[in-house]
Amino acid sequence: QVQLVESGGGLVQAGGSLRLSCAASGSIFSINAMGWYRQAPGKQRDLVATITSAGSTHYADSVKGRFTISRDNAKNTVALQMNNLKADDTGVYYCNADVTTYRARSLDAWGQGTLVTVSD
């Protein structure tokens, strides 16, 4: 069993900040990449940011300079600090992890999503 649980979503005005957190738990041997994706109503689920176990990061062009992804390998957590939020950042944010379990199973794990609403 591998579970990802997101927290930190909510309603914020444009220009404000939110910090999303995600905790992975269960039969986890290792996690390679972790990331955040978002999905607006009627739209495709798109990459926001990823981070490898070594700390290499990648960001969507739309969030570069505003969002920062970080992780704690020992705690199997990943966070997304979102600053200067814009209305088009609104959507459901999903945590993702590339997990290898203690039974040597490879899993692409997803959280349940947390809603971020940015008002004008």
Side-chain angles (χ1 to χ4, degrees), residues 24-101:
S25 62
S27 183
I28 298 171
F29 175 74
S30 64
I31 302 176
N32 185 12
M34 302 186 78
W36 290 92
Y37 294 71
R38 69 187 179 191
Q39 187 169 25
K43 302 295 184 180
Q44 179 179 326
R45 184 180 300 187
D46 291 327
L47 170 73
V48 177
T50 61
I51 184 167
T52 70
S53 59
S56 297
T57 59
H58 174 77
Y59 297 92
D61 288 343
S62 60
V63 307
K64 286 180 180 177
R66 300 188 297 119
F67 291 10
T68 302
I69 189 170
S70 60
R71 67 187 283 176
D72 185 332
N73 292 339
K75 296 181 179 180
N76 289 330
T77 59
V78 62
L80 185 70
Q81 178 66 45
M82 305 186 294
N83 297 326
N84 192 25
L85 284 160
K86 304 178 183 298
D88 57 2
D89 294 319
T90 293
V92 178
Y93 284 68
Y94 296 91
C95 179
N96 172 257
D98 181 8
V99 176
T100 300
T101 72

XYZ file of all heavy atoms in Angstrom, residues 24-101:
589
model
N 4.104 10.964 1.403
C 3.973 9.605 0.900
C 4.175 8.619 2.035
O 5.065 8.790 2.865
C 4.986 9.335 -0.211
N 3.355 7.586 2.077
C 3.472 6.583 3.124
C 3.125 5.213 2.566
O 2.494 5.096 1.519
C 2.569 6.916 4.312
O 1.207 6.929 3.922
N 3.528 4.183 3.299
C 3.253 2.821 2.898
C 4.523 2.026 2.705
O 5.556 2.315 3.296
N 4.435 1.021 1.853
C 5.549 0.103 1.626
C 6.516 0.694 0.604
O 6.632 0.219 -0.531
C 5.019 -1.252 1.157
O 6.071 -2.192 1.004
N 7.238 1.724 1.023
C 8.111 2.477 0.133
C 9.562 2.109 0.384
O 10.076 2.309 1.484
C 7.918 3.989 0.314
C 6.489 4.397 -0.032
C 8.927 4.751 -0.554
C 6.156 5.825 0.334
N 10.212 1.584 -0.649
C 11.645 1.347 -0.592
C 12.411 2.591 -1.030
O 13.389 2.973 -0.396
C 12.025 0.145 -1.463
C 13.512 -0.090 -1.540
C 14.199 -0.622 -0.462
C 14.219 0.226 -2.688
C 15.567 -0.836 -0.518
C 15.590 0.013 -2.757
C 16.257 -0.522 -1.666
N 11.961 3.202 -2.105
C 12.612 4.398 -2.598
C 11.637 5.178 -3.468
O 10.662 4.635 -3.985
C 13.878 4.067 -3.392
O 13.573 3.327 -4.555
N 11.921 6.462 -3.614
C 11.181 7.325 -4.519
C 12.181 8.047 -5.399
O 13.099 8.699 -4.894
C 10.317 8.354 -3.764
C 9.330 7.660 -2.835
C 9.583 9.254 -4.761
C 8.505 8.613 -1.994
N 12.018 7.910 -6.709
C 12.872 8.642 -7.627
C 12.356 10.084 -7.737
O 12.642 10.913 -6.885
C 12.934 7.952 -8.991
C 13.919 8.616 -9.930
O 14.722 9.453 -9.524
N 13.868 8.243 -11.202
N 11.567 10.361 -8.752
C 11.043 11.704 -8.922
C 9.747 11.895 -8.141
O 8.966 10.964 -7.971
C 10.806 12.000 -10.401
N 9.529 13.104 -7.665
C 8.253 13.532 -7.131
C 7.861 14.797 -7.870
O 8.719 15.519 -8.376
C 8.316 13.794 -5.629
C 8.752 12.601 -4.808
S 8.648 12.879 -3.013
C 6.870 12.679 -2.764
N 6.572 15.054 -7.932
C 6.159 16.237 -8.663
C 4.768 16.691 -8.321
O 4.033 16.040 -7.572
N 4.438 17.830 -8.875
C 3.113 18.407 -8.761
C 2.541 18.639 -10.145
O 3.240 19.132 -11.042
C 3.148 19.736 -8.002
C 3.451 19.594 -6.551
C 4.668 19.652 -5.952
C 2.502 19.355 -5.506
N 4.550 19.480 -4.599
C 3.227 19.293 -4.299
C 1.121 19.200 -5.474
C 2.609 19.072 -3.066
C 0.508 18.978 -4.257
C 1.245 18.920 -3.074
N 1.291 18.285 -10.324
C 0.539 18.528 -11.537
C -0.729 19.277 -11.171
O -1.172 19.238 -10.029
C 0.177 17.212 -12.236
C 1.366 16.453 -12.772
C 2.267 15.823 -11.913
C 1.593 16.358 -14.144
C 3.361 15.125 -12.399
C 2.676 15.663 -14.638
C 3.552 15.047 -13.762
O 4.628 14.353 -14.256
N -1.316 19.958 -12.137
C -2.571 20.650 -11.867
C -3.523 20.477 -13.040
O -3.110 20.274 -14.181
C -2.353 22.135 -11.571
C -1.891 22.969 -12.760
C -1.547 24.383 -12.305
N -1.081 25.202 -13.407
C -0.522 26.399 -13.257
N -0.363 26.915 -12.039
N -0.124 27.087 -14.319
N -4.804 20.582 -12.730
C -5.847 20.416 -13.722
C -6.950 21.437 -13.478
O -7.588 21.435 -12.427
C -6.419 18.997 -13.673
C -7.394 18.680 -14.787
C -7.717 17.197 -14.850
O -7.602 16.487 -13.856
N -8.113 16.734 -16.021
N -7.146 22.303 -14.446
C -8.258 23.241 -14.419
C -9.492 22.560 -14.997
O -9.379 21.592 -15.758
C -7.912 24.498 -15.213
N -10.693 23.048 -14.656
C -11.912 22.424 -15.187
C -11.915 22.351 -16.708
O -11.658 23.344 -17.392
C -13.026 23.343 -14.673
C -12.456 23.959 -13.440
C -10.997 24.144 -13.735
N -12.187 21.162 -17.234
C -12.241 20.956 -18.670
C -10.898 20.927 -19.366
O -10.859 20.872 -20.601
N -9.814 20.953 -18.600
C -8.482 21.001 -19.180
C -7.686 19.745 -18.845
O -8.030 18.967 -17.957
C -7.716 22.234 -18.679
C -8.388 23.563 -18.971
C -8.467 23.831 -20.462
C -9.047 25.205 -20.736
N -9.139 25.481 -22.194
N -6.601 19.549 -19.579
C -5.684 18.444 -19.354
C -4.916 18.636 -18.048
O -4.649 19.764 -17.629
C -4.724 18.380 -20.541
C -3.662 17.311 -20.481
C -2.783 17.333 -21.718
O -3.247 17.632 -22.816
N -1.509 17.009 -21.552
N -4.572 17.516 -17.407
C -3.692 17.581 -16.254
C -2.260 17.831 -16.729
O -1.704 17.042 -17.493
C -3.766 16.286 -15.443
C -2.951 16.320 -14.163
C -3.045 15.027 -13.372
N -4.411 14.722 -12.967
C -4.742 13.726 -12.161
N -3.801 12.940 -11.649
N -6.015 13.517 -11.856
N -1.664 18.925 -16.280
C -0.368 19.367 -16.778
C 0.673 19.408 -15.670
O 0.368 19.637 -14.498
C -0.468 20.765 -17.400
C -1.249 20.787 -18.699
O -1.195 19.797 -19.446
O -1.912 21.808 -18.965
N 1.911 19.209 -16.073
C 3.045 19.308 -15.166
C 3.186 20.724 -14.613
O 3.083 21.703 -15.353
C 4.322 18.924 -15.907
C 5.646 19.192 -15.186
C 5.835 18.184 -14.061
C 6.809 19.129 -16.164
N 3.434 20.832 -13.318
C 3.787 22.094 -12.690
C 5.269 22.109 -12.351
O 6.003 23.021 -12.746
C 2.947 22.356 -11.427
C 3.398 23.647 -10.745
C 1.465 22.424 -11.772
N 5.730 21.108 -11.613
C 7.125 21.040 -11.200
C 7.474 19.621 -10.805
O 6.616 18.874 -10.331
C 7.401 21.989 -10.031
N 8.729 19.246 -11.002
C 9.226 17.949 -10.562
C 10.561 18.122 -9.867
O 11.272 19.114 -10.079
C 9.401 16.951 -11.723
O 10.346 17.465 -12.667
C 8.072 16.681 -12.414
N 10.902 17.133 -9.043
C 12.181 17.127 -8.356
C 12.640 15.685 -8.197
O 11.864 14.812 -7.815
C 12.098 17.860 -6.995
C 13.471 17.930 -6.320
C 11.045 17.227 -6.090
C 13.506 18.900 -5.142
N 13.901 15.420 -8.510
C 14.458 14.085 -8.368
C 14.962 13.874 -6.952
O 15.041 14.797 -6.144
C 15.600 13.854 -9.356
O 16.732 14.646 -8.973
C 15.189 14.204 -10.776
N 15.338 12.628 -6.648
C 15.887 12.325 -5.335
C 17.203 13.048 -5.088
O 17.575 13.276 -3.935
C 16.087 10.815 -5.176
O 16.963 10.309 -6.170
N 17.905 13.410 -6.155
C 19.152 14.157 -6.042
C 18.944 15.659 -5.959
O 19.909 16.399 -5.756
C 20.071 13.834 -7.214
N 17.705 16.116 -6.130
C 17.411 17.523 -5.983
C 17.305 18.319 -7.265
O 17.116 19.543 -7.211
N 17.415 17.675 -8.423
C 17.259 18.383 -9.687
C 15.799 18.747 -9.898
O 14.912 17.920 -9.710
C 17.753 17.527 -10.852
O 19.137 17.264 -10.738
N 15.554 19.974 -10.318
C 14.185 20.465 -10.461
C 13.869 20.852 -11.892
O 14.754 21.181 -12.686
C 13.936 21.679 -9.554
O 14.860 22.725 -9.888
C 14.107 21.300 -8.092
N 12.589 20.811 -12.208
C 12.080 21.254 -13.490
C 10.743 21.940 -13.248
O 9.926 21.452 -12.462
C 11.904 20.081 -14.456
C 11.247 20.463 -15.743
N 11.923 21.119 -16.747
C 9.969 20.307 -16.182
C 11.098 21.341 -17.750
N 9.905 20.861 -17.428
N 10.520 23.054 -13.926
C 9.295 23.820 -13.768
C 8.642 24.097 -15.107
O 9.324 24.305 -16.117
C 9.574 25.171 -13.098
C 10.123 25.077 -11.705
C 11.494 25.055 -11.481
C 9.269 25.017 -10.612
C 12.002 24.971 -10.200
C 9.765 24.935 -9.321
C 11.133 24.917 -9.126
O 11.631 24.840 -7.844
N 7.323 24.121 -15.107
C 6.603 24.632 -16.263
C 6.951 26.102 -16.461
O 7.160 26.842 -15.490
C 5.103 24.465 -16.075
N 7.016 26.528 -17.719
C 7.378 27.917 -17.998
C 6.455 28.904 -17.291
O 6.897 29.973 -16.855
C 7.341 28.178 -19.504
C 8.479 27.521 -20.252
O 9.479 27.136 -19.611
O 8.374 27.402 -21.483
N 5.193 28.552 -17.155
C 4.212 29.466 -16.586
C 4.421 29.743 -15.102
O 3.873 30.721 -14.582
C 2.795 28.931 -16.807
O 2.631 27.660 -16.200
N 5.203 28.902 -14.414
C 5.390 29.087 -12.977
C 6.822 29.411 -12.597
O 7.102 29.656 -11.419
C 4.911 27.859 -12.174
C 3.479 27.506 -12.550
C 5.837 26.668 -12.377
N 7.730 29.426 -13.559
C 9.128 29.720 -13.260
C 9.266 31.094 -12.616
O 8.671 32.067 -13.061
C 9.973 29.661 -14.534
C 10.228 28.266 -15.041
C 11.077 28.281 -16.305
C 11.329 26.876 -16.810
N 12.095 26.879 -18.085
N 10.048 31.144 -11.557
C 10.252 32.378 -10.827
C 9.217 32.659 -9.765
O 9.407 33.567 -8.952
N 8.119 31.903 -9.763
C 7.060 32.098 -8.778
C 6.891 30.911 -7.843
O 6.563 31.097 -6.673
C 5.726 32.377 -9.479
C 5.738 33.624 -10.349
C 4.337 33.969 -10.853
N 3.783 32.918 -11.705
C 2.666 32.240 -11.438
N 1.973 32.509 -10.341
N 2.233 31.312 -12.276
N 7.086 29.703 -8.354
C 6.896 28.487 -7.566
C 8.248 27.852 -7.271
O 9.176 27.921 -8.090
C 6.047 27.464 -8.319
C 4.598 27.831 -8.508
C 4.117 29.093 -8.217
C 3.710 26.875 -8.991
C 2.782 29.421 -8.398
C 2.377 27.190 -9.173
C 1.911 28.459 -8.881
N 8.344 27.198 -6.123
C 9.542 26.463 -5.742
C 9.144 25.101 -5.203
O 8.328 25.012 -4.285
C 10.356 27.211 -4.679
O 10.718 28.508 -5.171
C 11.631 26.440 -4.351
N 9.722 24.047 -5.771
C 9.472 22.697 -5.292
C 10.642 22.249 -4.430
O 11.800 22.572 -4.712
C 9.230 21.720 -6.470
C 8.754 20.358 -5.966
C 10.470 21.582 -7.346
C 8.272 19.432 -7.081
N 10.342 21.515 -3.371
C 11.376 20.993 -2.491
C 10.923 19.646 -1.947
O 9.741 19.304 -2.015
C 11.678 21.962 -1.345
O 10.524 22.191 -0.555
N 11.861 18.875 -1.414
C 11.506 17.573 -0.849
C 12.413 17.222 0.312
O 13.525 17.749 0.440
C 11.552 16.468 -1.913
C 12.937 16.151 -2.459
C 12.869 15.167 -3.621
N 12.636 13.803 -3.178
C 12.456 12.768 -4.003
N 12.454 12.956 -5.319
N 12.261 11.552 -3.519
N 11.911 16.351 1.155
C 12.667 15.787 2.255
C 12.693 14.284 2.014
O 11.696 13.595 2.234
C 12.021 16.127 3.596
C 12.839 15.675 4.777
O 13.590 14.688 4.666
O 12.726 16.319 5.846
N 13.820 13.778 1.547
C 13.911 12.364 1.192
C 13.698 11.446 2.392
O 13.114 10.375 2.264
C 15.270 12.068 0.550
C 15.434 12.709 -0.806
O 14.451 13.055 -1.468
N 16.673 12.874 -1.240
N 14.177 11.868 3.558
C 14.047 11.041 4.749
C 12.598 10.897 5.191
O 12.212 9.868 5.748
C 14.894 11.605 5.887
N 11.796 11.925 4.954
C 10.398 11.908 5.368
C 9.439 11.564 4.235
O 8.231 11.472 4.460
C 10.008 13.258 5.956
C 10.744 13.613 7.236
C 10.287 14.961 7.776
C 10.993 15.304 9.072
N 10.560 16.626 9.603
N 9.958 11.398 3.020
C 9.130 11.121 1.847
C 8.048 12.181 1.655
O 6.881 11.869 1.419
C 8.506 9.727 1.930
C 9.521 8.626 1.738
O 10.513 8.793 1.034
N 9.274 7.477 2.354
N 8.460 13.422 1.767
C 7.538 14.524 1.559
C 8.040 15.439 0.454
O 9.235 15.511 0.178
C 7.332 15.351 2.833
O 8.590 15.883 3.270
C 6.729 14.502 3.942
N 7.113 16.129 -0.167
C 7.422 17.122 -1.185
C 6.510 18.319 -0.950
O 5.359 18.161 -0.534
C 7.261 16.561 -2.613
C 5.821 16.140 -2.890
C 7.747 17.559 -3.660
N 7.041 19.502 -1.196
C 6.275 20.720 -0.994
C 6.357 21.598 -2.232
O 7.285 21.491 -3.038
C 6.788 21.490 0.221
N 5.370 22.449 -2.382
C 5.341 23.422 -3.470
C 4.989 24.774 -2.878
O 3.857 24.984 -2.435
C 4.324 23.029 -4.537
C 4.294 23.908 -5.787
C 5.563 23.705 -6.613
C 3.059 23.601 -6.633
N 5.966 25.660 -2.844
C 5.739 27.028 -2.400
C 5.298 27.849 -3.605
O 6.026 27.947 -4.596
C 7.004 27.617 -1.786
C 6.867 29.061 -1.327
C 5.903 29.227 -0.185
O 5.932 28.454 0.767
N 5.038 30.227 -0.270
N 4.111 28.420 -3.528
C 3.535 29.164 -4.631
C 3.403 30.628 -4.220
O 2.646 30.954 -3.305
C 2.168 28.596 -5.025
C 2.195 27.108 -5.354
S 0.605 26.496 -5.974
C -0.405 26.709 -4.504
N 4.134 31.493 -4.903
C 4.116 32.919 -4.630
C 3.553 33.683 -5.825
O 3.566 33.195 -6.954
C 5.522 33.429 -4.317
C 6.111 32.816 -3.076
O 5.402 32.522 -2.113
N 7.428 32.632 -3.073
N 3.100 34.904 -5.559
C 2.537 35.757 -6.608
C 1.519 35.003 -7.452
O 1.592 34.980 -8.684
C 3.660 36.330 -7.478
C 3.183 37.441 -8.393
O 2.189 38.111 -8.117
N 3.888 37.641 -9.502
N 0.560 34.399 -6.787
C -0.421 33.578 -7.478
C -1.285 34.401 -8.421
O -1.609 35.559 -8.146
C -1.297 32.844 -6.474
C -0.615 31.644 -5.820
C -1.306 31.272 -4.515
C -0.615 30.459 -6.785
N -1.645 33.777 -9.527
C -2.474 34.395 -10.553
C -3.751 33.601 -10.720
O -3.829 32.429 -10.351
C -1.715 34.450 -11.884
C -0.373 35.165 -11.806
C 0.338 35.133 -13.142
C 1.710 35.786 -13.044
N 1.610 37.221 -12.661
N -4.758 34.228 -11.304
C -6.043 33.570 -11.479
C -5.913 32.284 -12.291
O -6.617 31.301 -12.019
C -7.043 34.513 -12.144
N -5.022 32.266 -13.270
C -4.882 31.065 -14.089
C -4.064 29.969 -13.412
O -3.817 28.925 -14.023
C -4.329 31.388 -15.480
C -2.995 32.098 -15.482
O -2.433 32.335 -14.398
O -2.507 32.422 -16.593
N -3.656 30.174 -12.163
C -3.095 29.094 -11.356
C -4.184 28.238 -10.719
O -3.878 27.210 -10.114
C -2.191 29.639 -10.248
C -0.943 30.301 -10.785
O -0.347 29.770 -11.747
O -0.545 31.347 -10.229
N -5.429 28.659 -10.831
C -6.541 27.939 -10.234
C -6.658 26.533 -10.808
O -6.550 26.332 -12.019
C -7.856 28.700 -10.450
O -7.822 29.931 -9.711
C -9.058 27.885 -9.992
N -6.884 25.565 -9.944
C -7.078 24.200 -10.375
C -6.892 23.237 -9.229
O -6.590 23.631 -8.102
N -7.078 21.974 -9.532
C -6.798 20.925 -8.571
C -5.345 20.498 -8.746
O -4.928 20.141 -9.853
C -7.738 19.719 -8.744
C -7.395 18.615 -7.756
C -9.193 20.150 -8.571
N -4.591 20.544 -7.662
C -3.179 20.203 -7.684
C -2.988 18.791 -7.149
O -3.482 18.447 -6.076
C -2.374 21.201 -6.852
C -2.167 22.525 -7.548
C -3.233 23.379 -7.785
C -0.899 22.905 -7.991
C -3.048 24.585 -8.445
C -0.706 24.115 -8.646
C -1.782 24.951 -8.876
O -1.589 26.147 -9.524
N -2.278 17.977 -7.914
C -2.054 16.583 -7.582
C -0.579 16.315 -7.332
O 0.275 16.715 -8.122
C -2.521 15.668 -8.717
C -4.001 15.717 -8.992
C -4.528 16.614 -9.918
C -4.871 14.858 -8.331
C -5.880 16.660 -10.177
C -6.229 14.898 -8.588
C -6.723 15.802 -9.514
O -8.077 15.839 -9.777
N -0.302 15.609 -6.260
C 1.040 15.143 -5.960
C 1.295 13.825 -6.672
O 0.402 12.976 -6.763
C 1.188 14.971 -4.446
S 2.787 14.378 -3.883
N 2.503 13.648 -7.172
C 2.879 12.437 -7.900
C 4.228 11.934 -7.406
O 5.108 12.727 -7.069
C 2.941 12.726 -9.402
C 3.499 11.572 -10.207
O 4.658 11.604 -10.622
N 2.686 10.550 -10.426
N 4.383 10.614 -7.355
C 5.655 10.023 -6.955
C 5.914 8.751 -7.731
O 5.007 7.937 -7.927
C 5.674 9.736 -5.457
N 7.155 8.592 -8.173
C 7.621 7.376 -8.834
C 8.214 6.489 -7.744
O 9.346 6.703 -7.316
C 8.643 7.731 -9.901
C 9.173 6.539 -10.661
O 8.645 5.422 -10.484
O 10.124 6.736 -11.436
N 7.457 5.478 -7.312
C 7.758 4.713 -6.113
C 8.209 3.301 -6.465
O 7.634 2.651 -7.341
C 6.530 4.635 -5.179
C 6.817 3.755 -3.963
C 6.111 6.028 -4.738
N 9.235 2.823 -5.763
C 9.578 1.408 -5.733
C 9.259 0.890 -4.340
O 9.766 1.415 -3.351
C 11.053 1.170 -6.066
O 11.347 1.656 -7.375
C 11.381 -0.316 -6.006
N 8.409 -0.136 -4.260
C 8.014 -0.682 -2.966
C 9.029 -1.700 -2.467
O 9.926 -2.117 -3.194
C 6.634 -1.354 -3.042
O 6.744 -2.582 -3.774
C 5.619 -0.448 -3.724
